[in-house]
Amino acid sequence: MERTYVMVKPDGVQRNLVGEIISRFEKKGLKIAALKMLQITRELAERHYGEHKGKPFFEPLVEYITSGPVVAMVLEGKDAVSTARDMMGATNPLKAAPGTIRGTFGMDIGRNVIHGSDAVESAGREINIFFAPEEIIEYKRATDSWIYE
């Protein structure tokens, strides 16, 4: 099964959306393999957003992501990366499809509630930034046979 990294951003935590967001992923059939709340340090933010260093939005992005706690998670399932991305919706909430997480809860591109890996490779990189291998739990759910053939 594929793994992806998902993070409820500070605005999602402050707006009390964590449970609703996690519930959506669970109801879809994705399995939580790791989950934690943390305050991202500047160093961690710079590692996470490293590919944007030098761009005009880099500093505001780092300031925002370090402004409050986030909830980080590793989700697992068939095509987990694309499934989670589809559920999140377009980065700009005003262009996100109705019913997606951003389409439902977001109003501004700078406060779009959630982050998710955009590819299997970036998922691996982001998971390794935020989780130690021993924090990721391997287990079988009794319901898996009702989710997957």
Side-chain angles (χ1 to χ4, degrees):
M1 288 287 157
E2 191 173 278
R3 287 184 175 160
T4 192
Y5 174 74
V6 172
M7 173 175 52
V8 180
K9 295 178 179 179
D11 57 321
V13 173
Q14 293 294 327
R15 293 176 56 200
N16 300 312
L17 298 174
V18 174
E20 169 76 24
I21 290 169
I22 291 172
S23 178
R24 285 180 176 219
F25 290 121
E26 287 185 309
K27 287 176 183 172
K28 179 69 175 176
L30 292 170
K31 178 172 73 173
I32 297 171
L35 177 70
K36 66 181 169 183
M37 179 178 256
L38 69 147
Q39 179 72 45
I40 295 180
T41 63
R42 180 170 183 88
E43 177 188 10
L44 191 59
E46 287 180 0
R47 278 182 59 208
H48 179 64
Y49 290 121
E51 72 267 15
H52 301 304
K53 196 163 190 144
K55 295 178 183 172
F57 59 87
F58 179 74
E59 280 302 319
L61 190 58
V62 169
E63 287 177 23
Y64 161 63
I65 207 67
T66 60
S67 68
V70 301
V71 173
M73 64 190 99
V74 177
L75 299 176
E76 188 175 280
K78 184 178 179 187
D79 300 317
V81 173
S82 62
T83 299
R85 294 285 294 183
D86 289 346
M87 291 177 68
M88 289 186 296
T91 303
N92 183 343
L94 299 179
K95 294 181 180 176
T100 62
I101 293 166
R102 290 177 178 143
T104 301
F105 301 116
M107 288 292 294
D108 188 272
I109 195 166
R111 300 290 182 268
N112 65 7
V113 180
I114 194 165
H115 165 83
S117 301
D118 62 0
V120 173
E121 299 75 26
S122 59
R125 183 183 67 79
E126 292 174 334
I127 289 167
N128 287 331
I129 289 172
F130 289 94
F131 291 93
E134 63 271 12
E135 293 179 297
I136 301 170
I137 309 299
E138 301 235 7
Y139 64 100
K140 181 149 177 68
R141 294 179 299 188
T143 57
D144 282 347
S145 66
W146 296 106
I147 297 169
Y148 300 108
E149 287 186 86

